[in-house]
Every structure is written in structure tokens, then in C-alpha cells.
């Protein structure tokens, strides 16, 4: 299978790619099945990823990150996801949904308080939009925050939130006015342990060490300085965060696909059928070749999107 030969990489990008590959194969791959079986959060390897800069790869160094670009992030995420999709999920949420949102819309104080710990891997971040009744349709969300002096009283619940049950901080999307549709939506940063905020871990069939949770807010008192971005303008902010996160998620998917293909190829060399290994059957070879072609196209699109982001160009397509 091809590596990254079809896409020119700088020496710095090659260094990040090699570092992520070496670490993921040496440290993550050997424990991936064990942690998926137990469902235990892989705190030790996540902490090491933070030390290597992977948990805040685009975060400026002044806030505890590696200060690299989006292409570096995509390269590292692909390699981490090859070894284990759970580690890839945790890394992606920390970088794309939590750190990126606060760096883009947060105050200087919020960046110093919330980004540094998460970028270093010592803390975990989450992003919560999805609700039980409305899914990811922000226009019909029911979570609501009402002003009460220097605080907002937050009530509602969120569902299927990655990192939710182990997150130290969560960005929460809630309605703050009676304006219809997508108007009157705001973002809040809620801290673990704040009164009225609880999380319930959800069971799932795969990627079990990447925790998924329901977040519940019952008269949760959130200081007004924990509002993220302009009040009532949270929908636009959340869409900007989600758009980049979805583009980056392509590298996550490519990593999983590339490893699945690698294992399949190895299997066809060993599995005997019809007097020889499966790899000698033309129909199997065609299928594998077509799969690699499609994966390579997906990889190039992921890298291209990262370059467009780094150049400040439109990447939505």
C-alpha cells in the first residue's frame, strides 16, 4: 500500500508523521484491544500524547500546545486512529471541538484557564450540542440558560457526548432567549463539579475506551464569564467549530480504513481457499485494489482540506 508519496510533505510534516506512527504502534496498538474490552479510559497514553503535543497540536505554544498547522494535525490523527479509533476520538474532540472553539471565540482569560491543561493532555475537553429530542438540530434544542445576576442558570440535557463522562470542561450549547429558530443560542464553558452538572456514561458496542455520555444540567449555576463568544450568537460559532471538526474527522476515518485494509491484505495472504491463498484470486485482488484506490482518494481529500484550512480558503466542499 502507498504511504504519503502522492502528497508532498515538508520535513517538519514528515517528522510529525513519523513520530505519531512510531508512538501509536509502540504504545497504543499493543493495548488497544485490552482497553476496548474493559472500557477503561486510557489515561496513561493520553497523557503521553499530550506530552508529545498531539492533544493540542494546533494550539499555540503560549497556551501549552505544539503550535503546528492543520496538515500536521491530520497526519498525526490518521496515524493515531490506525492504532486505535478510541484514542483518535479523544484526540479529535480535544483538538477540534474544545481547544479550537475556545481559541477562536474565547477571551484571553478563558484561553489561559481552559486551553493549556487540555492541550497538554492533563485535562480533557468535551463539546455538547446533541439532545435527546432534537439530535443535532440546534433550532429545536430545549436546553436553556436564564440570566440571574452575574450567573446563568442552565437546565437541560445532552446526549451522545464524546469524552463527556471524563471531561474536566465542556462547551455547552444552550438557548438564551425566546427568539425563534437559530437566533438566541449561546455557548457556555461548564466545569466538572459545578453544582447542578452531572454526567452519565453510556454503553456502546465499540470504541469503548472513548467515553460517551449523557450530560444533565439541573439549575446549574454558570458564571457569566464562562460564556464563550458573543451572547445569542452561538449557532454561528458552533457551526464554524463543527465545520472544521468534520473536515478533520476525514483523517480519522482514513486511518481506520487504511488499517482495516492492511489487516485484510495480510489475511488474504494466509487464508487458503481453492488450492491457494485468497490473495491469488483475481476477484479478491480487484476488490483490494479498488478499496485502496478509494482510500487513497479519501486521504488526498483530507490532506487537501487541511491545506485549504491552513491557507484560510473555503474547505466546506
Amino acid at each position: 500500500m502507498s504511504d504519503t508519496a502522492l502528497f508532498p510533505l515538508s520535513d517538519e510534516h514528515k517528522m510529525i508523521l513519523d513520530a505519531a506512527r512510531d508512538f501509536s504502534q509502540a504504545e497504543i496498538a499493543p493495548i488497544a484491544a485490552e482497553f476496548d474490552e474493559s472500557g477503561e479510559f486510557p489515561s496513561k497514553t493520553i497523557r503521553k500524547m499530550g506530552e508529545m503535543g498531539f492533544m493540542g497540536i494546533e494550539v499555540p505554544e503560549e497556551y501549552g500546545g505544539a503550535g503546528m498547522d492543520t496538515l500536521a494535525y491530520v497526519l498525526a490523527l490518521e496515524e493515531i486512529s490506525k492504532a486505535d479509533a478510541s484514542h483518535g476520538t479523544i484526540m479529535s474532540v480535544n483538538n477540534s471541538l474544545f481547544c479550537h472553539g475556545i481559541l477562536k471565540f474565547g477571551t484571553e482569560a478563558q484561553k489561559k484557564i481552559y486551553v493549556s491543561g487540555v492541550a497538554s493532555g492533563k485535562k480533557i475537553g468535551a463539546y455538547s450540542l446533541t439532545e435527546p429530542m432534537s439530535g443535532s438540530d440546534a433550532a429545536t434544542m430545549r436546553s436553556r440558560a436564564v440570566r440571574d445576576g452575574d450567573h446563568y442558570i442552565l437546565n437541560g440535557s445532552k446526549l451522545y457526548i464524546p469524552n463527556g463522562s471524563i471531561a474536566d470542561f465542556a462547551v455547552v450549547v444552550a438557548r438564551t432567549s425566546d427568539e425563534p429558530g437559530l437566533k438566541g443560542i449561546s455557548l457556555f464553558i461548564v466545569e466538572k463539579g459545578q453544582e447542578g452538572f452531572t454526567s452519565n456514561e453510556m454503553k456502546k458496542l465499540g470504541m469503548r475506551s472513548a467515553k460517551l455520555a449523557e450530560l444533565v444540567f439541573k439549575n446549574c449555576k454558570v458564571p457569566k464569564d464562562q460564556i464563550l463568544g458573543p451572547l445569542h450568537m452561538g449557532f454561528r460559532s458552533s457551526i464554524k467549530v463543527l465545520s472544521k471538526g468534520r473536515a478533520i474527522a476525514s483523517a480519522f476515518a482514513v486511518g481506520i480504513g487504511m488499517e482495516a485494509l492492511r489487516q485484510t491484505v495480510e489475511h488474504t495472504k494466509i487464508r487458503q481457499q481453492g488450492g491457494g491463498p485468497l490473495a491469488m484470486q483475481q476477484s479478491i485482488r480487484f476488490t483490494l485494489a479498488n478499496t485502496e484506490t478509494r482510500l487513497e482518494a479519501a486521504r488526498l481529500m483530507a490532506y487537501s482540506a487541511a491545506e485549504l484550512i491552513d491557507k484560510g480558503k473555503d474547505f466546506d466542499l
Side-chain angles (χ1 to χ4, degrees), residues 133-205:
M133 298 302 294
S134 61
S136 297
D137 180 9
T140 57
M141 76 166 57
R142 297 185 179 183
S143 294
R144 185 172 180 82
V146 179
R147 180 73 180 266
D148 181 22
D150 291 334
H151 295 77
Y152 277 80
I153 307 301
L154 175 61
N155 283 282
S157 64
K158 302 292 182 178
L159 210 58
Y160 307 123
I161 306 305
N163 292 356
S165 62
I166 45 85
D168 297 279
F169 315 118
V171 173
V172 181
V173 186
R175 186 169 294 283
T176 48
S177 83
D178 293 324
E179 293 186 80
L182 298 173
K183 298 179 180 179
I185 291 172
S186 302
L187 305 181
F188 294 86
I189 305 169
V190 182
E191 300 180 13
K192 184 178 183 178
Q194 281 194 253
E195 184 178 355
F197 172 34
T198 57
S199 63
N200 304 306
E201 186 175 327
M202 303 176 69
K203 294 181 179 181
K204 49 189 175 133
L205 295 177

Side-chain angles (χ1 to χ4, degrees), residues 236-305:
R236 291 184 181 181
S237 300
S238 64
I239 287 299
K240 290 179 180 179
V241 171
L242 289 170
S243 293
K244 181 175 179 179
R246 287 164 176 162
I248 301 300
S250 59
F252 169 76
V254 168
I256 296 170
M258 285 293 185
E259 177 59 17
L261 177 60
R262 186 195 68 78
Q263 292 192 27
T264 302
V265 169
E266 291 304 312
H267 176 73
T268 64
K269 294 176 181 178
I270 299 171
R271 177 74 164 88
Q272 299 287 317
Q273 190 175 62
L278 284 175
M280 297 305 295
Q281 295 186 21
Q282 190 178 58
S283 61
I284 298 295
R285 295 167 74 91
F286 281 173
T287 298
L288 294 175
N290 184 56
T291 300
E292 182 172 3
T293 300
R294 292 167 65 88
L295 278 169
E296 193 62 55
R299 169 190 265 169
L300 292 173
M301 289 179 71
Y303 293 0
S304 177

